[in-house]
Amino acid sequence: MSKALVLTGGGARAAYQVGVLKGIASILPRSVYNPFPIICGTSAGAINALSIAGRAGPFRLRTKKLERIWHELTPADVYRTDATGVIKNTFHILASFVHSGYGIGRPISLLDNSPLRQMMEDYVKFDYLDTAIDNGELQAIAITAMSYASGKSVTFFQGQEQIPVWNRSRRRGEKIPISIDHLMASTAIPGLFPAVQIGTDYFGDGAVRQLKPISPALHMGANQLLIIGVSDNPTHSQRSTEMQHSPSTAQIVGHMFNSAFIDAVESDLETLQSVNRLASALPQSLREKNNITDLNPVGVLSISPSESIDKIAQKYLHELPRSLRLFLRLTGATARGGGSSAASYLLFEPGFCRELIAMGTADALEKEDEIRQFFGI
């Protein structure tokens, strides 16, 4: 049975995924190198996916090194936080208004994420992906981005020879050696980070048009999925609070981010669970009569935050760089303005990330029995 790890997007919220992976690693035997033959990452999840797939050594060691990165991460490691850099990008955006709306010399964006490119280029051993595939440790690694030309969700994957490409409504799979450009394209949140050119096309954050985030893993042959989400505590019903004012800009953006990074995953998971119930209830005689051979239950283990990430983010907004705090304050990204959800995607601060890692580890250990059952240990 082929197990797949599915890591969704969510900016700084992806620190939670690191905690879950750490918890899983502590449950698995120390000798395990890579428990996931198929690894799929989108947006910030692509950072964690390649950090696991693109390193040699036991799984426990890989997760420790990944945890160290997130423990020490600061906004300056992800994007330029100095006032000069922010002002320079702002003027670049304004200049685009008199240039048919597109950037002169480079794609427009509010923030410059070149520090992230440098960090990941140094950390991920892209050459190791071929080695891992050749020695059977890895079946496939997939990174999803959004094409600005076609509007399609494009999954770039590197894997074993027998895995075919696919072309479905609004999504396709393209077999190609994964590089730093694919990672940067998948993490390029529209407006915040610049689009990345791959071939003749420009690509942006993979979560934006990814209607079926689970499908790449299934196309590559997975029949057991471990999905780590970053939603705001979906397992506990939350009462809506009375609005004291019209929605702030940041609050609107926060809902747009949640729609892109979270809603599609939860919706796709619900669909898969419905299909599983149908497949389990379908008699073998009916399968044979109608020649139904491709409708089989898929094992799913989904782990999501047990506490509200938005509420956790409110405690750390003051740690953001001054230039970014000012921008977020002007747009209403404050606890009072109801925009902490939007700010949480940019909160690459040690305190926030460490708390999410701790929560992820605790949530994984809480599901130890289910994890053991998933891996058959």
Side-chain angles (χ1 to χ4, degrees), residues 126-180:
F126 289 93
D127 291 343
Y128 183 72
L129 297 176
D130 266 337
T131 302
I133 292 168
D134 290 342
N135 65 25
E137 174 193 317
L138 192 64
Q139 188 174 322
I141 170 73
I143 304 298
T144 300
M146 181 267 295
S147 166
Y148 277 104
S150 66
K152 280 192 173 185
S153 174
V154 181
T155 298
F156 299 102
F157 70 95
Q158 185 173 343
Q160 294 176 352
E161 199 171 313
Q162 68 271 21
I163 301 176
V165 299
W166 63 89
N167 200 337
R168 299 290 186 271
S169 175
R170 292 295 174 187
R171 64 188 192 278
R172 64 182 176 87
E174 181 177 328
K175 203 167 194 176
I176 189 173
I178 300 297
S179 69
I180 186 65

Side-chain angles (χ1 to χ4, degrees), residues 11-13 47 69-83 85-86 89 110-120 184 192-193 316-325 328 343-354:
R13 289 170 172 247
I47 295 174
I69 288 179
W70 282 89
H71 254 255
E72 301 170 358
L73 200 64
T74 66
D77 295 317
V78 180
Y79 48 85
R80 285 189 62 179
T81 59
D82 57 290
V86 174
N89 277 354
L110 181 64
L111 299 172
D112 176 1
N113 61 348
S114 55
L116 176 63
R117 173 183 278 270
Q118 185 61 57
M119 180 178 69
M120 296 311 298
M184 296 307 297
L192 290 180
F193 300 136
Y316 298 98
L317 293 178
H318 67 279
E319 294 187 359
L320 284 167
R322 183 180 299 176
S323 58
L324 194 58
R325 280 206 315 270
L328 292 173
S344 70
Y345 289 90
L346 295 173
L347 254 174
F348 294 96
E349 291 290 344
F352 179 65
C353 292
R354 289 175 187 177

Side-chain angles (χ1 to χ4, degrees), residues 11-326:
R13 289 170 172 247
Y16 174 81
Q17 298 172 348
V18 179
V20 174
L21 292 173
K22 177 186 176 182
I24 292 172
S26 69
I27 295 170
L28 296 175
R30 289 180 177 270
S31 57
V32 173
Y33 258 59
N34 180 14
F36 303 103
I38 298 172
I39 300 178
C40 302
T42 301
S43 192
I47 295 174
N48 294 332
L50 281 168
S51 295
I52 294 296
R55 301 284 296 191
F59 184 63
R60 190 170 296 191
L61 178 62
R62 300 186 202 196
T63 56
K64 280 185 177 179
K65 289 182 176 180
L66 180 58
E67 180 190 14
R68 191 177 305 128
I69 288 179
W70 282 89
H71 254 255
E72 301 170 358
L73 200 64
T74 66
D77 295 317
V78 180
Y79 48 85
R80 285 189 62 179
T81 59
D82 57 290
T84 302
V86 174
I87 293 171
K88 184 179 178 181
N89 277 354
T90 302
F91 276 110
H92 188 60
I93 293 173
L94 294 175
S96 72
F97 295 158
V98 294
H99 199 256
S100 301
Y102 58 87
I104 304 171
R106 59 186 175 85
I108 58 173
S109 66
L110 181 64
L111 299 172
D112 176 1
N113 61 348
S114 55
L116 176 63
R117 173 183 278 270
Q118 185 61 57
M119 180 178 69
M120 296 311 298
E121 203 162 20
D122 292 340
Y123 185 76
V124 177
K125 308 302 180 186
F126 289 93
D127 291 343
Y128 183 72
L129 297 176
D130 266 337
T131 302
I133 292 168
D134 290 342
N135 65 25
E137 174 193 317
L138 192 64
Q139 188 174 322
I141 170 73
I143 304 298
T144 300
M146 181 267 295
S147 166
Y148 277 104
S150 66
K152 280 192 173 185
S153 174
V154 181
T155 298
F156 299 102
F157 70 95
Q158 185 173 343
Q160 294 176 352
E161 199 171 313
Q162 68 271 21
I163 301 176
V165 299
W166 63 89
N167 200 337
R168 299 290 186 271
S169 175
R170 292 295 174 187
R171 64 188 192 278
R172 64 182 176 87
E174 181 177 328
K175 203 167 194 176
I176 189 173
I178 300 297
S179 69
I180 186 65
D181 285 338
H182 299 103
L183 171 57
M184 296 307 297
S186 185
T187 59
I189 301 175
L192 290 180
F193 300 136
V196 177
Q197 186 174 10
I198 299 175
T200 59
D201 199 354
Y202 281 90
F203 291 85
D205 198 293
V208 174
R209 296 297 295 270
Q210 193 177 29
L211 302 178
K212 299 290 182 182
I214 295 174
S215 68
L218 301 179
H219 279 295
M220 293 186 292
N223 48 25
Q224 282 188 294
L225 308 177
L226 196 151
I227 304 169
I228 307 178
V230 293
S231 60
D232 200 44
N233 192 15
T235 56
H236 295 74
S237 59
Q238 298 180 15
R239 296 176 61 185
S240 59
T241 57
E242 185 178 345
M243 294 282 288
Q244 301 296 324
H245 50 72
S246 62
S248 65
T249 301
Q251 196 168 9
I252 294 170
V253 171
H255 281 295
M256 291 173 64
F257 280 177
N258 290 341
S259 175
F261 295 113
I262 296 172
D263 294 354
V265 179
E266 295 179 354
S267 175
D268 204 19
L269 184 56
E270 284 185 357
T271 300
L272 180 60
Q273 290 168 340
S274 296
V275 172
N276 276 346
R277 288 193 292 270
L278 175 62
S280 299
L282 201 62
Q284 185 62 33
S285 58
L286 192 59
R287 288 173 178 269
E288 294 174 356
K289 181 180 179 180
N290 293 278
N291 195 28
I292 301 174
T293 59
D294 58 350
L295 185 62
N296 298 298
V298 175
V300 179
L301 174 56
S302 177
I303 302 178
S304 294
S306 55
E307 299 176 29
S308 169
I309 292 183
D310 288 354
K311 289 183 179 179
I312 295 173
Q314 291 175 12
K315 298 188 296 184
Y316 298 98
L317 293 178
H318 67 279
E319 294 187 359
L320 284 167
R322 183 180 299 176
S323 58
L324 194 58
R325 280 206 315 270
L326 175 61

